[in-house]
Amino acid sequence: MKNTLQNKMVFQVEGLHHSFFTKKKEETKVLEGIDFKVFENEFVAIVGPSGCGKSTILNLMSGLLRPTEGSVRLRDKEMDTVHSSIGYIAQSDTLLPWRTVRKNVEVGLEIRGIDKTTRKQKSIELIKKAELEGFEDAYPHELSGGMRKRVDIIKVLAVEPEIIFMDEPFASLDVFTREILQKYVLKVWSEDRRTIVFITHDLTEAITLADRIFILSQRPAKLKSTHCIDLERPRDPEELKFNPRFIELYEGIWKDLKSEVEMQVKEA
Amino acid sequence: MKNTLQNKMVFQVEGLHHSFFTKKKEETKVLEGIDFKVFENEFVAIVGPSGCGKSTILNLMSGLLRPTEGSVRLRDKEMDTVHSSIGYIAQSDTLLPWRTVRKNVEVGLEIRGIDKTTRKQKSIELIKKAELEGFEDAYPHELSGGMRKRVDIIKVLAVEPEIIFMDEPFASLDVFTREILQKYVLKVWSEDRRTIVFITHDLTEAITLADRIFILSQRPAKLKSTHCIDLERPRDPEELKFNPRFIELYEGIWKDLKSEVEMQVKEA
Amino acid sequence: ADNNEEESVAPEESSEEVAEEVTEDKELTEIVVAELRSEFWIQAYLADSLGFFEEEGLEVEFVTTTDGPVAFQAMHAGSSHFTMLSTEPVLRAQDQGLESTILLSTLQNKPYMLIGAEGIERVEDLKGETIFAGMPGSAPYSFAVSILEKHGMSEEDVEWAQMEYGASLGALENGHVAAIYLRSTAKDEAAAINANIIVDVSDSQQHEEIYGTERYESSIIVGTKEFVENNPEEVQAFVNAIVKAMAWLEDASNEEVVEMASEHFQGRGITADQIEYLRPSLNPDGMITEAGHETIIAFCMEEGIIERDISFGEIYDLSFLTDAIEMILE
Amino acid sequence: MKWLNLTFTNAKELGIRLSGFVILILFWEFAVRIGWLNPFYTSQPTGVYYDLIEFYESGQLWRHTSVTLKEALWGLFFGSVAGIVVAFILGFSQNLAKVFEPLITGLYGIPKLALAPIFVLWFGLGIESKIIMSALLVFFLVFFSTYGGIQDIDRNIVRSIRLMGATPFQIKVKVYLPATVPWILAGIKGGLGASLIGAIVGEYMGASAGLGWMISYATSFFQVERVMSCIFILFMIGVIFNGILKTFERVLLKWRAPTDFDQPL
Amino acid sequence: MKWLNLTFTNAKELGIRLSGFVILILFWEFAVRIGWLNPFYTSQPTGVYYDLIEFYESGQLWRHTSVTLKEALWGLFFGSVAGIVVAFILGFSQNLAKVFEPLITGLYGIPKLALAPIFVLWFGLGIESKIIMSALLVFFLVFFSTYGGIQDIDRNIVRSIRLMGATPFQIKVKVYLPATVPWILAGIKGGLGASLIGAIVGEYMGASAGLGWMISYATSFFQVERVMSCIFILFMIGVIFNGILKTFERVLLKWRAPTDFDQPL
Ligand SMILES: Nc1ncnc2c1ncn2[C@@H]1O[C@H](COP(=O)(O)OP(=O)(O)OP(=O)(O)O)[C@@H](O)[C@H]1O
Ligand SMILES: Nc1ncnc2c1ncn2[C@@H]1O[C@H](COP(=O)(O)OP(=O)(O)OP(=O)(O)O)[C@@H](O)[C@H]1O
Ligand SMILES: [Mg+2]
Ligand SMILES: [Mg+2]
């Protein structure tokens, strides 16, 4: 949390409630009073049970959804539409099936009116980073699950957004590919002072990457607790595992999460 | 590997080669000579880099694809079509968007002509197991990513197939939900003598669940090595982590995988 | 009229009622007539409305088709018993081996007009202009050609446009064409768009000028040869009813005719004016003359509609008509 | 009428839906009044209104409308079923598709009115010929649409159901049919109009009643009002059909994520 | 002809594609010969063949065919463009859709031939009126199909592109348009036939040349052979159009996973 106070606030989430309604008007309460702030150049991870409302929070913060109650403010302005300063790597596959890998990576650049050669250069570079050489001209249906996800990630990174939202981006990648991309994201984040909000189910990953971790409760989700990760940067994912502070943090968060589940079980 | 020799052989994979061709007839070599056997009541995990050909192996073993070369034999018969004795939890989302959760879970039972009340009973039971109560009548687009995956899993388990293929089934689930389902799969497997082939990127998961782990090399994939997991059963995922044999196995496999990656890097 | 209306709504029910009323225990014979709905066959509709068909033991249903030839083919295909159309297609079909028998004619000449747009008042004005008179080979087309030839021009001297008949008035007024063919009964419509009547052959003098005769009995009722030979009673009954209507029509006022026929000409379909315009062309007894026949044959051969001469006896059988006239008019 | 309640949830909704139509009518009347349009050819709404009343009071309106409606509804039914069935047969047999797809496209381009003599010959002048004509036109539209839908299906879903041991028939019923519903509905939406046109064309060929009969009769007598009355009735039938289809659509596609997001696109 | 090579990769393929047609022809000839069909109404293939030769040698065949072809092609073009554009406009405005969708369905059900007087009045007797008629028919088909496609789009993809800061226009061009291509193509496949019918109906309304004119001329002369010759030409145009469209389809949809798996379904 070292920098948070002197840093400018990017997001201010206040009293966020959200419910979905089925066509028969039945209510599903998803969020029940969420408050938090995200500061400039912060790396925040959100952890919580499946189906608790993590993706919903990102949808609200990105302006895709309007909250039933409460507010999301981006740099002191109410979110009322989507902002192109936010890059959102969504949970579901959002590749354009009629575009090749390269064309998919370039789509954001096209939208911004970047010229052809710059586009090509950039996309080739990122495709290399994601270890997808040789598949530049493949269509999405010709890729493996993990490859598709990688294209999805670099497609968003290509436009170099100030703020990056990631919804379980690395879940379908093997450890090594994942590490490569984690390192790349860390590099991008630290070099260019990006702000990142990150959803993951992998505690190790969350601790390795984040400044703060928000733990959500079961649906309807409340913010159960916030953990500050005071590990030195730069962090090396591999070494970190044997760092005693890491293990301490891991166990603390684990217990926190576990108590939530047990409470749930008791209730039932 | 304790039981493998006296047990009957279920799958025999021999000299498996597979290539994909683009519409322009360009070749992508995916598998290059894979040989292995899977025995009755065995739990096999397949681990390998993203895009190496794991899903392709399952597609070949399930009869969805025909190999370019080599053969897959199921109980001594050449695979020439799909077999309903195999339940395949695929990597991509395969829910029927026009069916509610319950109806999706029941689809396999419907196909087998099971009567309505049994179907309903079974599906309700499984929905409970997957912690999806209250969403029986929700449509897939109203579910979170993890919830959708869970429906996908229990949809296949509902028909109680003899042989189960799973392609990264738990990747998008939080630790606790994942543990619940892992336990359930283990229970199903041990009680009813199922044969399971399992793809994962999570080594801990692979070691916790499997009898043997196949490590695949980079594309074009070869079978790099096979690790037998000689941990006692039943295994408790939580305790296992502190078991020294577990840690030993983990490190062995880790090194194995790492050497593969390093070789790759050297080559390049 | 009420009774008749009901009949058209529910023909089966009312036919039973009528059968009882008539007290002849005989069931009505169903007769289907394929036709083009037109006042040229007004006698047939009147025969229906006046109940003459019922008196003869027939129940007639009129089936309207797009085109005379279609109606005619429908009859030969067994879908109807009689067809009401022009003579020309019948002759052509006869030439091609589809044998028919013409029973009578409802008109004695062609109530056709050629009307012109502003500035087109005489036939000579048509030179180089575009005109509409139906398809080549149709009666209106040959009518227009005859007019041109009578005035020293040929088919090539004008442009021929083709269009839906209903569109012709609009085309004339908008200047797409300089002249169109129109039925003589549509004089009111012609007046409504300030068109000039160039030629009107319902006027017998003008008719003779163009065709060389006063008669040109081409609005006919026809049956297949086979049907006429095998069902003389039905044919006789049918002809009887029409002859009765012809007799009635002679004495009826225009308004009476309109009232009786309105059932078959809904809305403003028929007006007293139209009947008035039609009167000069009405065939009082349905007879077809040799002279008329020869004119038609000559014309058809000239136009290439038929290749051989078809004799009067081959195509007409007026015995039913003469019998009917004897029985009814005398 | 129950479905009307379902379709037009309230009067305001109905108002919006009909506003285009009302504006059209007003414009038409206006254009005639100030002399842009000549009522002799285009008639005018007030004239049509009086003619409709007369048409109605003479008892003829319902008679002709019901004839055409019956033909169109049967045509819509048979045509849709045939279109779906044939699309499914060709969609699953590459070879049959190769043989019949060009045939069907070719046949569609043949003007049906040109077939009048053959139609009358084979199917007579009764209601059958109109139903067949109507079904024929509907068939083509539903066929093209359904066939397109079959090509567009998500292969992963098909695979998963195949793997569960579904028979080819079960795959069709449980996957292809529901998945192509949006396509079939798009086809039927076109088919609504086509069914009416088919009935009308059939009546042109030869009939003793029906709106098509009335139109061709009224045209040859230059009764523009009556032609317009018939067109108005056909138009209203089309609108009502569309309303009913919308209700079906709502029920059949209730599984679909809503199309409107919180924000406008 | 290059595209023919593309379409029918070889003679065998062409053979399969035309086999249905050939069988139809043979059956027709056979049925006439043994007396099932009366050649007076249906003609017979040999008769049609001789008539086609005569038609060709008189120089009339190409004249009439080219007129109709030109009308149909322009109609197809304008109709498709209008259908796509209107579908996009209504697809993105709930309110406009509410106003115009019923209007369009209603208008589609109006028999176009009944509008002949108005058509001729407004558009005259030149080629414009036929192109408009042809475009009108194509419009409806392409509209219904495209509109259906817009409703069926994957919302996640749209969201992702919106989030990248795409303008509404960019979203339409980069997402909706390519995503609806399969739907648009299905609509145009129907539109091929419709464009021909539109041209023919236009010619019925008023013309001095074209296959529609020829058909109505030949009908009134009981020249069944000639009618069949024209129908045959129209049929072949439809087949060729379909072949060209297939080539387009192959190029435009090359991104789609192949429809045939290793195993038959
Ligand atoms: N469009 C929707 N309509 C109705 N309910 C929805 C919709 N989207 C999400 N929900 C519900 O909201 C809840 C939270 O969903 P969300 O996607 O935010 O979960 P999540 O925390 O991201 O879970 P996961 O880790 O599985 O992705 C779920 O119960 C889901 O059923
Ligand atoms: N339908 C296809 N057409 C062409 N190439 C394909 C196709 N399916 C897979 N491939 C290629 O085969 C290779 C292996 O794919 P596969 O899906 O088996 O990978 P995987 O090991 O499952 O990877 P992941 O862990 O990312 O799911 C990839 O390079 C992919 O591009
Ligand atoms: Mg989520
Ligand atoms: Mg995979």
Side-chain angles (χ1 to χ4, degrees), chain C residues 115 169 182 186-197 277, chain D residues 40:
Chain C
I115 63 170
L169 282 177
L182 198 65
K187 289 195 180 76
D188 289 346
E189 280 82 3
I193 61 163
N194 300 318
N196 310 306
I197 296 173
Y277 300 139
Chain D
F40 186 77

Side-chain angles (χ1 to χ4, degrees), chain E:
Chain E
M1 281 187 266
K2 189 75 183 304
W3 53 262
L4 260 182
N5 280 333
L6 285 169
T7 314
F8 306 122
T9 38
N10 56 43
K12 193 185 149 204
E13 187 73 10
L14 182 63
I16 295 175
R17 285 184 188 281
L18 289 186
S19 63
F21 182 60
V22 170
I23 290 170
L24 202 75
I25 300 267
L26 290 179
F27 177 78
W28 177 9
E29 183 75 36
F30 176 75
V32 170
R33 298 252 161 147
I34 66 161
W36 281 352
L37 294 175
N38 183 341
F40 184 80
Y41 306 114
T42 61
S43 181
Q44 56 188 320
T46 44
V48 174
Y49 173 75
Y50 291 123
D51 183 73
L52 272 171
I53 290 179
E54 191 195 315
F55 197 10
Y56 174 75
E57 286 178 347
S58 70
Q60 296 293 303
L61 188 149
W62 181 238
R63 178 172 155 245
H64 291 295
T65 304
S66 65
V67 167
T68 302
L69 206 55
K70 194 171 157 193
E71 295 159 358
L73 283 174
W74 280 115
L76 186 61
F77 172 75
F78 289 122
S80 300
V81 171
I84 294 169
V85 169
V86 174
F88 268 75
I89 293 171
L90 298 198
F92 293 100
S93 166
Q94 287 279 325
N95 282 331
L96 282 183
K98 276 180 195 156
V99 176
F100 286 103
E101 211 208 312
L103 215 62
I104 290 174
T105 327
L107 290 177
Y108 183 51
I110 295 174
K112 305 305 166 300
L113 216 48
L115 300 177
I118 297 176
F119 245 76
V120 170
L121 184 70
W122 287 348
F123 307 114
L125 294 168
I127 192 169
E128 299 82 7
S129 60
K130 284 103 203 170
I131 292 176
I132 290 170
M133 181 52 73
S134 175
L136 191 67
L137 293 195
V138 174
F139 165 79
F140 287 112
L141 298 195
V142 175
F143 169 78
F144 289 125
S145 203
T146 311
Y147 189 72
I150 291 170
Q151 317 293 313
D152 199 54
I153 213 142
D154 181 349
R155 294 285 140 180
N156 282 326
I157 290 183
V158 179
R159 284 182 166 205
S160 82
I161 297 295
R162 256 185 83 205
L163 281 163
M164 293 194 144
T167 61
F169 180 73
Q170 282 178 323
I171 294 178
K172 272 159 213 151
V173 172
K174 291 189 193 297
V175 184
Y176 278 91
L177 199 56
T180 45
V181 162
W183 292 80
I184 293 174
L185 285 175
I188 292 180
K189 199 173 278 176
L192 299 182
S195 71
L196 289 170
I197 294 184
I200 300 292
V201 170
E203 288 172 12
Y204 280 178
M205 285 183 179
S208 47
L211 293 172
W213 177 87
M214 191 75 227
I215 288 174
S216 70
Y217 172 82
T219 306
S220 68
F221 267 71
F222 292 103
Q223 288 190 28
V224 196
E225 275 89 14
R226 183 50 58 86
V227 173
M228 288 294 166
S229 294
C230 293
I231 288 180
F232 173 80
I233 296 166
L234 285 168
F235 178 88
M236 287 316 296
I237 294 175
V239 171
I240 292 169
F241 274 14
N242 189 46
I244 298 172
L245 190 72
K246 278 241 160 274
T247 309
F248 267 101
E249 200 172 71
R250 209 160 302 143
V251 175
L252 286 171
L253 299 181
K254 67 168 187 287
W255 52 269
R256 220 150 53 159
T259 44
D260 12 323
F261 284 155
D262 295 0
Q263 278 124 28
L265 272 170

Side-chain angles (χ1 to χ4, degrees), chain D residues 73-193:
Chain D
L73 283 174
W74 280 114
L76 187 61
F77 173 74
F78 288 122
S80 300
V81 170
I84 294 168
V85 168
V86 174
F88 266 76
I89 292 173
L90 298 197
F92 294 100
S93 165
Q94 287 279 326
N95 283 329
L96 282 183
K98 278 179 194 157
V99 175
F100 286 103
E101 210 209 312
L103 216 63
I104 290 173
T105 326
L107 290 177
Y108 183 49
I110 295 173
K112 306 303 168 296
L113 218 47
L115 299 177
I118 297 177
F119 244 77
V120 170
L121 179 69
W122 287 348
F123 308 115
L125 294 167
I127 191 169
E128 298 83 7
S129 60
K130 286 102 203 168
I131 292 176
I132 290 171
M133 181 55 75
S134 175
L136 191 66
L137 293 194
V138 174
F139 165 80
F140 287 112
L141 299 194
V142 175
F143 168 80
F144 289 125
S145 202
T146 310
Y147 189 71
I150 291 172
Q151 317 292 313
D152 199 55
I153 213 144
D154 182 348
R155 294 283 142 178
N156 283 325
I157 291 182
V158 178
R159 285 182 165 206
S160 83
I161 297 296
R162 258 186 82 204
L163 281 164
M164 293 192 144
T167 61
F169 180 75
Q170 282 177 322
I171 293 177
K172 274 160 212 148
V173 172
K174 291 191 193 297
V175 184
Y176 279 91
L177 200 56
T180 46
V181 162
W183 293 79
I184 293 174
L185 286 174
I188 293 179
K189 200 174 274 176
L192 299 181

Side-chain angles (χ1 to χ4, degrees), chain A residues 229-247:
Chain A
I229 310 301
D230 47 8
L231 295 166
E232 274 300 304
R233 301 228 185 225
R235 304 175 189 163
D236 180 325
E238 244 178 292
E239 279 167 29
L240 220 55
K241 268 175 235 162
F242 308 102
N243 183 325
R245 179 67 188 134
F246 174 92
I247 297 171

Side-chain angles (χ1 to χ4, degrees), chain C residues 46 52 76 116 156 217 239 269 277 321:
Chain C
L46 289 172
F52 295 152
H76 274 277
E156 280 76 45
E217 303 97 343
V239 173
Y277 300 139
L321 184 64

Side-chain angles (χ1 to χ4, degrees), chain C residues 47-221:
Chain C
D48 189 45
S49 298
L50 293 163
F52 295 152
F53 286 130
E54 278 158 36
E55 282 176 27
E56 296 291 338
L58 303 179
E59 190 199 329
V60 171
E61 185 190 4
F62 293 100
V63 177
T64 315
T65 63
T66 44
D67 210 1
V70 174
F72 184 68
Q73 291 190 17
M75 175 177 76
H76 274 277
S79 296
S80 73
H81 302 96
F82 300 103
T83 308
M84 309 199 295
L85 79 167
S86 301
T87 312
E88 293 87 346
V90 179
L91 292 177
R92 178 165 174 89
Q94 187 80 12
D95 195 16
Q96 303 219 337
L98 217 55
E99 295 187 313
S100 318
T101 302
I102 295 174
L103 300 169
L104 59 85
S105 163
T106 50
L107 300 183
Q108 55 185 346
N109 64 18
K110 282 194 178 296
Y112 286 179
M113 303 188 293
L114 195 65
I115 63 170
E118 227 185 309
I120 310 282
E121 277 151 21
R122 297 169 314 131
V123 180
E124 285 74 21
D125 295 336
L126 292 174
K127 205 172 178 71
E129 299 283 353
T130 306
I131 70 173
F132 162 72
M135 273 285 155
S138 69
Y141 188 88
S142 32
F143 155 72
V145 172
S146 306
I147 293 172
L148 291 175
E149 283 169 353
K150 280 278 144 15
H151 289 80
M153 283 183 275
S154 76
E155 219 174 324
E156 280 76 45
D157 288 329
V158 296
E159 292 284 324
W160 298 88
Q162 302 307 328
M163 68 184 82
E164 274 278 298
Y165 175 69
S168 58
L169 282 177
L172 184 70
E173 198 189 16
N174 257 29
H176 298 307
V177 290
I180 60 168
Y181 130 84
L182 198 65
R183 298 188 301 242
S184 301
T185 47
K187 289 195 180 76
D188 289 346
E189 280 82 3
I193 61 163
N194 300 318
N196 310 306
I197 296 173
I198 306 172
V199 178
D200 178 5
V201 292
S202 67
D203 172 38
S204 57
Q205 193 192 330
Q206 289 191 40
H207 194 277
E208 197 163 357
E209 244 171 61
I210 305 286
Y211 290 103
T213 61
E214 266 184 39
R215 308 238 334 169
Y216 193 107
E217 303 97 343
S218 69
S219 296
I220 46 123
I221 297 180

Side-chain angles (χ1 to χ4, degrees), chain A residues 18-22 26 28-31 46 48-59 65 91 167-168 199-201 216 219 221, chain B residues 132 135 138-150 172-174, chain D residues 257-258, chain E residues 159:
Chain A
H18 196 75
S19 294
F20 286 104
F21 295 90
T22 62
E26 284 164 22
T28 313
K29 274 195 190 170
V30 176
L31 303 180
I46 300 179
S50 168
C52 73
K54 301 180 296 299
S55 304
T56 306
I57 291 182
L58 286 198
N59 287 342
L65 284 179
Q91 192 171 13
D167 198 344
E168 303 182 32
I199 295 179
T200 183
H201 287 307
L216 295 185
R219 175 171 22 89
Chain B
L132 289 165
F135 289 91
Y139 286 102
H141 77 90
E142 295 170 323
L143 301 181
S144 81
M147 290 160 86
R148 254 204 305 275
K149 195 72 217 174
R150 281 181 265 162
S172 59
L173 300 179
D174 67 292
Chain E
R159 284 182 166 205

